[in-house]
Amino acid sequence: MPSAAHRSALLLQLAEALAFIHSSEIIHRDLKPENVLVTEAFWSEPKRAGTIKLVDFGISIRVGNPRPL
């Protein structure tokens, strides 16, 4: 079980990734545990940027896209 520090660091990096893509006017639309990758470096340096990766933008869209899935 990850420590509280690891869980909060993971959530912070994930929130930062989502904030970045949203500022780029992209909506991921498939946020789930399988689309969040944890690098090996995360376990020794949980606060190091880039150790959590958000992947699978296959159904992502631009903000304002009128087409549904």
Side-chain angles (χ1 to χ4, degrees), residues 1 5-7 19 28 42 50 53 61-62:
M1 177 65 104
H6 280 93
R7 288 191 303 266
H28 189 278
F42 174 78
K53 310 287 185 183
I61 61 167
R62 284 237 174 247

Side-chain angles (χ1 to χ4, degrees), residues 17-41:
L18 288 169
F20 177 79
I21 66 167
H22 290 170
S23 72
S24 301
E25 297 190 349
I26 297 172
I27 301 171
H28 189 278
R29 298 198 313 178
D30 196 20
L31 186 60
K32 60 186 176 186
E34 294 85 356
N35 290 338
V36 178
L37 302 181
V38 178
T39 67
E40 193 66 37

